[in-house]
Amino acid sequence: MFNISAFSLYDAVFIVIAGVTLLAALGVVLLPNIIYSALSLILTFLGVAAIFFQLNSGFIGVIQILVYAGAISILILFAVMLLMNIEPGRTNLPTTRLKALFAGGGITAMFLTALIAAIGFTKWPQLQLITTDNSVEMLAEAMLGDYVIAFEAAAILLLASVIGAILIAKGVQEK
Amino acid sequence: MIEFILPNAWLIPFLPFLGFALIALFIHRWPKISAGVSIAFIGTAFIFSLLVASAVFSEPGGAVYEFTTRWLEMSGLKVDMGLLLDPLSAVMLIVVTSIATLVQIYSIGYMKEDPGFASYYAYQSLFAASMLGLVLSNNFGQMFVFWELVGICSYFLIGFWFGLPSAKNAAIKAFVTNRVGDFGFLLGILFLQIIFGTLAFSGLAEAVPEYTNMAVLVPVALLLFLGPMGKSAQFPLHVWLPDAMEGPTPVSALIHAATMVAAGVYLVARAFFIFSSVPEAMTVIAVIGGFTALFAATIALVQNDIKRILAYSTLSQLGYMMMAMGVGAMTAGMFHLTTHAFFKSLLFLGAGSVIHAMAGEQDIWKMGNLHKKMPVTTWTFIIGALALAGIPPLSGFWSKDEILLGAFASGHYGLYILGAFVAFLTAFYMFRLIFVAFFGSNKEGEHAHESPGVMTMPLIILAVAAVFVGFVNSPFMHHVFGEFINHPMGIQPHPSSMIMISSSLIAVAGIVLAWLIYQKQAISHLAIRERFKGIHQLLQNKYYMDEFYARMGQIFVYGAAQVMFWFDIHVINAFVDLLARFTGKSGDTLKYTEDGQVQNYALYMVAGALILVVVATMAAVSVIA
Amino acid sequence: MIGLPHYLLLGAFLFSIGLFGVLTKRNAIAVLMSIELMLNAVNINFVAANKYVAVNDVTGQLLAIFVIVVAAAEIAVGLALIISIFRQRKTVELNDFNLLKW
């Protein structure tokens, strides 16, 4: 499978990006300080965005950076700052319930094994990456054409979640 | 006119039904108009019946007209409906329509004061429609529908005075007892459909005699006979008919003496091709008929209620007809049905006239000396009683004589002796009734008065019929009845003067004995009663049949209830308790999974997803490999 | 040499890391962050499958966009809930959020 002569720059870039992304993701889960976890999460988002660029999907990559690495990360950071009432180094520890820890680890391992097995057992045809990228026009047509109802529904969902978030976070005024 | 009526014979049952619908829906507020409409429709049906009969009887041996149409059709089942006009149905048409017309006219007087006058006529019309439909049916399925319809009309009319608990209970008793018979009847019909694939009389008449598997045909015939046993009140399903006397007396005359109870006999005659090819069934019919005749006649000896005496007499005579069918004398049975319809309805209407005059009194010992006040009723009643007793040359003589002749000629000597003895008993109890009620010394009958003309007129017409109807099958008219109504498997023996004379003498002997005891009082009936106290008690209590059924019902129903109670508590309840305990226990155990830890819930969810992923992967792998 | 399976493997790993976080982290915000990881893994699969398989179609990318929309809504509401709970109980530890039990 591993053929050094077929090894191209594209592949090397992919391996680097994927490695960084996975390491950053592990950091999110394993670092004991939630601030570092959040920063690591931003790195993961950027890595995923890089994967999107690698896949010739620039538009999704840009959205990924804007929405995830920009907006959501900042939101999370704000929440973290707001809610920290203990020393920072103990903010992101694994659960105290050992049974849950082992069960969670076990089931994750099994899930990963199952997914790898599923990918490995599948006979993949020889597929080539589509290099042209006119996806912005097509996305626009699809979103305002066939999928316009879903588009509107998503808009209403966002509106509802914004109002809901404000109401919930504000809390009920005690009279 | 005849060309019109033959294909439109459905009008005969339809007209009374129209009368019922009109009365029930629109004109029940005006009782007199309701009665008029009802009588007009049944009268028209009577005229149509006469026309049909004239067409049928115009050919030697009788013409047969059959009209059939497809009622419903699905895969594996075809149901036809149709009309069958043959001598048998023509005779029944005339009997039913003529007596129904007279009874309805008579009811104008009898039911005059009744608040339910209009609904009474509605029921009468519905009954007439159902009965005529039954008579005209050309297949068992259609006949069963009308069979049940006359049953429900009987239920309505027995329970007409439903304010009385006795009438209400009698109606329920009649209905339930008939269910027993009709259940067997329905099973028999279903078997016929399964075996022969048709219910039409014409089709069955061809198929049944060629069918040789007696192991199947015997139970089918016996099941079919259960229907006539219920409807014609044959032992042991006879218990409802005496109680049915709770209904208005004209109803008893029409339904429970002349027409509906004869439907069972009519059915046996109609399906004679089935019964006659099963000798075992014929024996059963003959024995049950003969036993019922004797059984009911002995009870009638000691009854004091005028209507109940007549009711037991009806039972006895129906037994006679069944016996005739059973010995193969189908002509004699139908003939007796015809004559009996006239003189028994005459007797019932006469009894009604007496009850009307006595303001509801039915005990014959509280009557007496009625012959001075009510001459028409008395003399017509006596004519009816003479006909029933079988005094020549009245109608009952000819028909009863033929039954005895049939029993004798077919070699059933035991049944012949039994029949002759019953004839003696019949003459005796009828004239006991007459001497006590009409000529007795009791003075309570003195304030009685003769009934109005609207009631006496039908009595006179029926009396004339009771005298002359018998001649149609007498040697004077060359047995014309038997030429039309017969069956190749039936017997029509030559008249025997020996049997005629002996049966006449037996009847006269019965009358004389009754005269000696109750009129001349040469023998004290009280002394006889004292002497045979046990037997008297037994007869007075109708052989304790009702008590027997009640006891049986108690034993079996209560016993079954006990068993079911035990089953309910120890099996069904136990199972339900087990379920409840299982649910409770499992809830007690499983509640610890609901520990409030969202991550545990997520864990369960992921475990489920994992199973799905594994299964899907394995399925995909097995497809690839 | 690098093809669709490799992208899918990347997605699988990322998803599993997120799953592990969801199941084992103590901090509610960390759990939300792990859920974001899982959603990103799904997005990689969508886009990769779209780019490798469907030539003239953008449904995969469109779905990725909708996932991002829903993720944004989810994180907003989720953080609002956590803030609300924190106000009541002065903690973000999931272990302590066990009011709804037998």
Side-chain angles (χ1 to χ4, degrees), chain B residues 31-152:
Chain B
K32 291 222 170 67
I33 300 175
S34 302
V37 165
S38 178
I39 292 168
F41 278 121
I42 190 70
T44 317
F46 174 56
I47 292 165
F48 285 174
S49 302
L50 284 179
L51 291 170
V52 167
S54 71
V56 168
F57 292 127
S58 62
E59 287 178 33
V64 177
Y65 303 92
E66 190 169 357
F67 304 96
T68 311
T69 179
R70 183 59 40 93
W71 185 7
L72 56 94
E73 184 171 5
M74 48 184 133
S75 65
L77 182 68
K78 294 187 177 72
V79 183
D80 287 341
M81 57 189 294
L83 300 172
L84 180 60
L85 304 173
D86 66 351
L88 197 58
S89 54
V91 166
M92 284 300 285
L93 278 183
I94 291 180
V95 168
V96 172
T97 50
S98 62
I99 294 178
T101 311
L102 290 173
V103 164
Q104 290 197 9
I105 293 169
Y106 175 92
S107 300
I108 297 174
Y110 191 84
M111 301 297 288
K112 200 164 80 187
E113 321 272 297
D114 199 282
F117 195 77
S119 54
Y120 173 82
Y121 273 97
Y123 291 145
Q124 279 275 8
S125 288
L126 182 60
F127 170 77
S130 321
M131 187 69 206
L132 292 168
L134 191 160
V135 167
L136 286 173
S137 297
N138 76 332
N139 63 68
F140 273 110
Q142 195 184 340
M143 190 179 224
F144 185 77
V145 173
F146 287 110
W147 184 271
E148 294 300 329
L149 273 174
V150 294
I152 194 69

Side-chain angles (χ1 to χ4, degrees), chain B residues 513-534:
Chain B
L513 186 63
W515 181 75
L516 282 175
I517 295 179
Y518 294 99
Q519 185 67 14
K520 192 108 172 33
Q521 304 199 331
I523 312 165
S524 164
H525 65 271
L526 293 172
I528 301 172
R529 187 185 295 183
E530 219 33 59
R531 182 84 185 275
F532 301 101
K533 198 162 185 189

